[in-house]
Amino acid sequence: MIGSLAKMVAYNKAPRTTFTVLHPRKALRLRAMQKELRHSPLPRLTALSAAALALPLGVALGRRTANGRAQQSA
């Protein structure tokens, strides 16, 4: 019970350090994964392709609704 309280306090004060001390292998794997994601071109390509898809769609919808309003008011 005292150990559980100590862990709870430690996680509350410094969660990252406590996790690293208690689970060193998992912490190293997570750190490596973060580094790979940071230096990987895939997230940038995904964001770029999403913007390339959403931008023309948004422009087309905007023109369509703007044209509809202009015709209704005239």
Side-chain angles (χ1 to χ4, degrees):
M1 184 170 157
I2 294 174
S4 297
L5 288 173
K7 279 184 189 178
M8 190 170 63
V9 170
Y11 270 115
N12 194 19
K13 279 202 167 271
R16 186 176 291 169
T17 306
T18 305
F19 183 82
T20 303
V21 170
L22 293 176
H23 312 284
R25 288 183 187 158
K26 286 182 183 179
L28 285 174
R29 277 192 239 136
L30 286 172
R31 199 67 144 155
M33 186 175 65
Q34 285 176 344
K35 185 178 178 183
E36 286 176 19
L37 285 175
R38 189 178 309 123
H39 297 292
S40 173
L42 189 63
R44 291 180 192 96
L45 288 174
T46 305
L48 199 71
S49 63
L53 181 68
L55 191 63
L57 184 64
V59 169
L61 287 172
R63 285 183 180 165
R64 192 170 199 186
T65 57
N67 286 340
R69 284 188 196 143
Q71 290 173 0
Q72 287 177 357
S73 62

